[in-house]
Amino acid sequence: MSLLNTWWWLLPLVSGLILALVSGPLGSFVVWRRMAFFGDTLAHGALLGITLGVLSDIHPTLALLLSSVLLALFLYPLQQRSSLSSDTLLGIISHSMLAIGLVALSLARNVRVDLMGYLFGDLLAVGLEDLILISLAAVICGGLIIWQWRGLLATTVSPELASIDGYPVARLNLLLILMLALVISLAMKIVGVLLISALLIIPPAAARSLARTPEKMALMASVVGMLSVALGLMASWQWDTPAGPSVVVVAALLFLLSLTRRG
Amino acid sequence: MTTDVLLQASHLYLARRHKQVLTDISLNLERGRITTLIGPNGCGKSTLIRILLGLENADQGEIKRAPGLRIGYMPQRLALEPRLPLTVTGFLKLARGATHDAIEYWLDRLDIRLLAAQDIQDLSGGEWQRVLLARALLIRPDLLVLDEPVQGVDVQGQHALYRLIPQLRNELNCAVLMVSHDLHLVMAATDEVICMNGHICCSGHPDQVSVSSEYRELFGHVMPTNLQPIAHYTHHHDHRHCLDGHIESGSKPQA
């Protein structure tokens, strides 16, 4: 137990690093497919999932995962259509869910819930169980991404050409969305609902000017993400700033730095 | 279906938002034949192509494809995501069933060897069309579908491309389905023209179609040919340029 007392910070750090590792390639797809808004919607829905979990006495992480996956399946047909028409609808769903989640949380008077923790991430809440879950998710997502890389990329470049080629386009899109739901729901404890999509989008954006191939961009995005997590958490402990925002601030700074490379 | 018919569409109908887009479209695509779809903008050409490719479904009608039919498709345009870095070779590798040897072969065959390591974002319209064509050819298709293949290509490039298509047909012994809005450009390169405007107005050999009353009604009613105010200016170059800018060997007379 004394070991855990001295080394408690390893849990959130390692969890964050592993999360950033999978967020690199996954976030790259989000950027390439312009799914940022979709990620936001999933994250906002996750808060509602937490609330429902708290209210119904299901294990909170399980409730979170379950609601995210259900939401992803519900939103999946929207994503299939052209992004323009679904923009408004996604916006409505996204913010309505955030609002409903917040209202429902405040109504649940008998349970004390740390709202700030959910919105901006709570490092102290990261336990061994979370680390194991995140590692498991990372192995699954990482394996699937590597296994289906060519198909995922071909579908991203042109769903039509990929479909004529015989790639299972619909299944690949679904796979991506489910992986996104999984990672977002697990990332909640580290960066919080409001900033999850930042962790998905900023590292790939920063990696863009450093890479000439999609593989390298995904890899560089992982590196930038992990650097952001490490530096962000250090800053958070140093100056007692909230963890999620600190990580995102570092990522944003790295993005600005990457712009100078473009010349 | 005879053995040479690769794709047979019969009585296709499609309505969208109360507008009848396709009415009673039937056509056969045969091995070794080049078929060109022409028609004014918005006449349903591209929709028909999408249905034939299986990307969309018709409301009514039937499409029979030869078993194991390999289709190579060159789209009219492909929106590129600027945040996705991709080289020409990287792009070609994404085609399912593309082998290293096939990529090497078509890079040389289409004169785009020098583009291989370039970013696809940096290509000109004509270069990008050739890369898209190469992608369609990688699997040595039985049916090659080209949607407005010369869009964004300069006049010289257009002629080069239209010269290339019959050669490719002979080389691969495939069927070719081409979409164009200008019959005169494709005349020489096509065996059959289908002139459509929602329905099939007329079809046949390009020489017949260009003098048919239906074709004239669609395209030529603005001004009788003998009164056309546009003068045709023709000139000849004494050399040809390859796609990457250098002068084709043997195309320039010795001074």
Side-chain angles (χ1 to χ4, degrees), chain A residues 194-249:
Chain A
L194 295 180
L195 293 171
I196 284 174
S197 37
L199 192 66
L200 283 169
I201 290 161
I202 300 177
R208 170 63 183 99
S209 53
L210 310 173
R212 281 204 64 205
T213 64
E215 292 81 8
K216 205 171 165 206
M217 177 168 157
L219 223 62
M220 291 302 294
S222 291
V223 172
V224 172
M226 289 167 84
L227 209 58
S228 309
V229 166
L231 294 176
L233 292 192
M234 274 163 63
S236 159
W237 288 317
Q238 189 68 42
W239 294 296
D240 195 25
T241 48
S246 309
V247 170
V248 174
V249 165

Side-chain angles (χ1 to χ4, degrees), chain A residues 34 150 160 166-167 212 214, chain B residues 50 81 85 93-94 96 117:
Chain A
R34 301 176 179 240
R150 213 161 82 133
E160 289 172 359
Y167 287 111
R212 281 204 64 205
Chain B
R50 291 178 60 82
E81 169 55 52
K93 272 185 192 157
L94 292 178
R96 204 176 205 198

Side-chain angles (χ1 to χ4, degrees), chain B residues 240-251:
Chain B
R240 288 195 300 273
H241 288 277
C242 277
L243 206 66
D244 51 52
H246 72 267
I247 293 170
E248 258 177 52
S249 57
S251 73

Side-chain angles (χ1 to χ4, degrees), chain A residues 36-246:
Chain A
F37 216 18
F38 188 81
D40 256 342
T41 310
L42 279 181
H44 290 176
L47 187 75
L48 186 57
I50 285 271
T51 315
L52 295 178
V54 166
L55 292 176
S56 63
D57 244 4
I58 310 175
H59 189 279
T61 311
L62 192 68
L64 190 56
L65 262 174
L66 216 66
S67 63
S68 291
V69 166
L70 282 178
L71 182 61
L73 290 176
F74 170 70
L75 293 175
Y76 170 66
L78 267 182
Q79 186 58 34
Q80 292 288 81
R81 266 193 272 154
S82 77
S83 55
L84 264 171
S85 60
S86 56
D87 227 29
T88 313
L89 199 51
L90 268 184
I92 294 171
I93 296 172
S94 164
H95 294 106
S96 307
M97 263 180 325
L98 184 63
I100 296 171
L102 290 172
V103 169
L105 260 184
S106 72
L107 285 178
R109 287 179 199 287
N110 48 341
V111 270
R112 271 197 50 81
V113 177
D114 174 22
L115 188 59
M116 283 295 276
Y118 288 127
L119 291 181
F120 298 111
D122 181 7
L123 287 177
L124 290 170
V126 177
L128 195 60
E129 184 191 0
D130 295 297
L131 177 60
I132 292 168
L133 268 176
I134 287 171
S135 309
L136 210 64
V139 169
I140 293 171
C141 290
L144 283 171
I145 288 174
I146 291 169
W147 180 41
Q148 295 292 339
W149 177 259
R150 213 161 82 133
L152 285 168
L153 197 60
T155 312
T156 303
V157 172
S158 166
E160 289 172 359
L161 287 181
S163 162
I164 293 166
D165 276 356
Y167 287 111
V169 174
R171 250 182 295 159
L172 287 168
N173 288 343
L174 190 62
L175 175 71
L176 194 66
I177 281 176
L178 288 177
M179 288 194 293
L180 211 53
L182 181 66
V183 168
I184 283 178
S185 56
L186 291 175
M188 233 181 96
K189 273 201 178 155
I190 312 248
V191 279
V193 170
L194 295 180
L195 293 171
I196 284 174
S197 37
L199 192 66
L200 283 169
I201 290 161
I202 300 177
R208 170 63 183 99
S209 53
L210 310 173
R212 281 204 64 205
T213 64
E215 292 81 8
K216 205 171 165 206
M217 177 168 157
L219 223 62
M220 291 302 294
S222 291
V223 172
V224 172
M226 289 167 84
L227 209 58
S228 309
V229 166
L231 294 176
L233 292 192
M234 274 163 63
S236 159
W237 288 317
Q238 189 68 42
W239 294 296
D240 195 25
T241 48
S246 309

Side-chain angles (χ1 to χ4, degrees), chain B residues 30-43:
Chain B
E30 291 169 35
R31 192 178 284 285
R33 280 180 75 82
I34 301 177
T35 308
T36 303
L37 272 179
I38 60 166
N41 279 335
C43 72

